[in-house]
């Protein structure tokens, strides 16, 4: 394992997020929303930075639509493709800065919204699994005649990217994990099970205020910049309109997927070069608030989890940022992308 520590640097850019549990008004999720954006059930009204394409697929006896961005290289193409997997509280659009950084270096970038999220279909009934989402993404790449790609995932997308690389090692050129959740098994460590109905009821109460409070603490290590508000409103806007309930329901289903389908026991089985990038100030732990105080103290210590997991991955490089939180690509994009591109240069 190769480990790198990236020193602090002044930053200026941002990308999005959402938190599911709060105590806001149960009807609109926000009081005084007259001057706040209201988006449709599939994020209608929110513009993505590049053209959205539609991939139609039949899955679990229903016709679904997986929306994605396919961004061509700027200038000379290097012949390589990177697939970006968003987190649970994020969308494909949240990768905007990373897409620019990669395409400027000649990469083709595919950034889908997974089924159940953002611009893609939100089915009322779907058996969510990381295997299913990986299979959906693999089908998208086959549709695009992409035979090999580097798979990059952030947050929940890190769990999905790990599962993808385990399922399709022969077509995965490399794996990049950015503050992935799933570096520990919360249920095994003492977080109690919660029903999907309870996840759903708490999700319906989502508000921009609580999202902002959670993100400031967890995503940005206590910092806040005005440009981060765009990404708060992107998520909160779906909970102010008619799409609140179907969004909360799909979020509840995917919370259950995360809690019951750990990947932490399989990192030793990865067969591809892997870059693990961690903001040490991250404290994310799904279901943390459900656990006892004693259990809560044991969860979400990414400064310890990162190097432990990196040691277990056969061919790994570990990069960490002492001062950053859950979203280093948003909080410090220049530092983040410099480290990312350096790894790509070494592994190409």
């Amino acid at each position: 394992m190769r480990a790198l520590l990236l020193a602090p640097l002044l930053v200026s850019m941002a990308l999005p997020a959402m938190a599911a549990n709060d105590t806001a008004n149960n009807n609109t999720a926000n009081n005084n929303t007259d001057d706040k954006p209201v988006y449709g059930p599939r994020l209608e009204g929110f513009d993505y930075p590049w053209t959205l394409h539609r991939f139609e697929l039949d899955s679990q006896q229903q016709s679904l639509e997986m929306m994605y961005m396919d961004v061509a290289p700027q200038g000379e193409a290097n012949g390589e493709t990177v697939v970006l997997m968003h987190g649970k509280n994020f969308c494909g659009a949240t990768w905007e800065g990373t897409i620019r950084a990669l395409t400027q270096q000649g990469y083709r970038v595919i950034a889908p919204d997974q089924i159940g999220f953002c611009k893609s279909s939100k089915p009322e009934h779907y058996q969510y699994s990381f295997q299913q989402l990986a299979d959906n993404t693999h089908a998208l790449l086959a549709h695009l005649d992409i035979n090999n790609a580097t798979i990059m995932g952030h947050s929940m997308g890190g769990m999905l990217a790990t599962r993808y690389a385990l399922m399709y090692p022969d077509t995965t050129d490399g794996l990049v994990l950015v503050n992935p959740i799933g570096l520990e098994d919360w249920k095994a460590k003492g977080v109690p099970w919660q029903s999907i109905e309870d996840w759903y009821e708490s999700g319906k109460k989502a508000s921009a205020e609580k999202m902002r409070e959670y993100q400031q603490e967890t995503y940005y290590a206590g910092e806040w910049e005005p440009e981060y508000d765009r990404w708060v409103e992107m998520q909160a806007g779906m909970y102010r309109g008619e799409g609140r309930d179907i969004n909360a329901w799909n979020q509840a289903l995917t919370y259950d997927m995360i809690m019951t389908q750990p990947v932490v026991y399989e990192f030793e089985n990865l067969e591809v070069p892997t870059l693990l990038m961690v903001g040490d100030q991250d404290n994310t732990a799904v279901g943390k608030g459900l656990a006892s105080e004693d259990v809560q103290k044991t969860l979400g210590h990414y400064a310890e989890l990162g190097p432990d997991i990196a040691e277990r991955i056969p061919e790994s490089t570990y990069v960490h940022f002492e001062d950053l939180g859950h979203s280093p690509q948003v909080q410090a994009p220049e530092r983040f992308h410099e480290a990312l591109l350096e790894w790509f240069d070494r592994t190409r």
Side-chain angles (χ1 to χ4, degrees), residues 7-28:
L9 184 73
L10 196 61
V11 301
S12 63
M13 212 179 126
L15 306 177
M18 169 199 133
N21 296 323
D22 59 59
T23 56
N25 181 277
N26 197 39
N27 292 320
T28 64

Side-chain angles (χ1 to χ4, degrees), residues 41-151:
R42 289 177 57 176
L43 200 52
E44 293 91 343
F46 183 89
D47 293 332
Y48 272 36
W50 288 275
T51 301
L52 275 170
H53 304 274
R54 177 181 290 103
F55 173 51
E56 298 179 353
L57 69 158
D58 292 327
S59 179
Q60 300 183 19
Q61 298 187 338
Q62 54 192 313
S63 297
L64 302 173
E65 294 180 343
M66 189 174 181
M67 307 302 292
Y68 65 97
M69 291 178 287
D70 183 353
V71 187
Q74 300 180 36
E76 185 177 354
N78 64 22
E80 299 183 37
T81 300
V82 181
V83 179
L84 302 178
M85 296 181 168
H86 61 78
K88 181 172 173 56
N89 298 333
F90 302 80
C91 297
T94 69
W95 285 113
E96 181 175 352
T98 301
I99 293 172
R100 293 190 190 281
L102 289 170
T103 54
Q104 286 172 0
Q105 297 300 315
Y107 293 93
R108 177 185 181 183
V109 177
I110 310 298
D113 283 346
Q114 296 296 326
I115 295 299
F117 295 88
C118 307
K119 295 281 189 178
S120 291
S121 295
K122 297 182 173 70
E124 292 185 11
H125 304 286
Y126 202 64
Q127 184 174 344
Y128 281 100
S129 69
F130 288 114
Q131 287 88 342
Q132 179 68 74
L133 297 183
D135 186 68
N136 294 347
T137 306
H138 195 253
L140 168 63
L141 298 184
H143 168 73
L144 296 173
D145 292 324
I146 296 173
N147 297 317
N148 289 82
T150 296
I151 309 299

Side-chain angles (χ1 to χ4, degrees), residues 85-280:
M85 296 181 168
H86 61 78
K88 181 172 173 56
N89 298 333
F90 302 80
C91 297
T94 69
W95 285 113
E96 181 175 352
T98 301
I99 293 172
R100 293 190 190 281
L102 289 170
T103 54
Q104 286 172 0
Q105 297 300 315
Y107 293 93
R108 177 185 181 183
V109 177
I110 310 298
D113 283 346
Q114 296 296 326
I115 295 299
F117 295 88
C118 307
K119 295 281 189 178
S120 291
S121 295
K122 297 182 173 70
E124 292 185 11
H125 304 286
Y126 202 64
Q127 184 174 344
Y128 281 100
S129 69
F130 288 114
Q131 287 88 342
Q132 179 68 74
L133 297 183
D135 186 68
N136 294 347
T137 306
H138 195 253
L140 168 63
L141 298 184
H143 168 73
L144 296 173
D145 292 324
I146 296 173
N147 297 317
N148 289 82
T150 296
I151 309 299
M152 181 171 176
H154 170 238
S155 192
M156 181 203 76
M159 294 183 77
L160 174 56
T162 300
R163 179 59 59 200
Y164 187 100
L166 290 167
M167 291 174 65
Y168 306 108
D170 294 339
T171 61
T172 302
D173 292 334
L175 175 65
V176 181
L177 304 175
V178 182
N179 276 80
I181 62 172
L183 300 184
E184 55 189 340
D185 184 342
W186 304 290
K187 186 166 65 69
K189 295 183 77 168
V191 174
W193 177 81
Q194 178 169 255
S195 71
I196 291 173
E197 287 77 11
D198 285 343
W199 284 116
Y200 172 58
E201 290 301 323
S202 64
K204 286 193 295 182
K205 301 172 186 177
S207 73
E209 288 75 11
K210 287 295 182 179
M211 293 177 190
R212 190 175 293 106
E213 178 183 330
Y214 173 77
Q215 290 175 31
Q216 182 171 359
E217 176 189 357
T218 301
Y219 294 177
Y220 308 119
E223 298 180 2
W224 192 262
E225 298 294 339
E227 56 263 34
Y228 300 166
D229 283 316
R230 176 191 176 197
W231 307 110
V232 171
E233 295 300 337
M234 180 186 72
Q235 292 286 348
M238 289 190 289
Y239 286 81
R240 298 188 181 111
E242 61 182 355
R244 183 199 67 169
D245 288 359
I246 192 62
N247 274 282
W249 180 246
N250 276 265
Q251 288 287 310
L253 293 173
T254 51
Y255 268 122
D256 190 70
M257 172 184 73
I258 290 169
M259 290 296 295
T260 60
Q261 300 175 30
V263 298
V264 67
Y265 307 109
E266 299 177 68
F267 286 111
E268 291 87 347
N269 299 329
L270 287 170
E271 301 177 10
V272 300
T274 301
L275 172 63
L276 176 58
M277 309 181 77
V278 170
D280 287 348

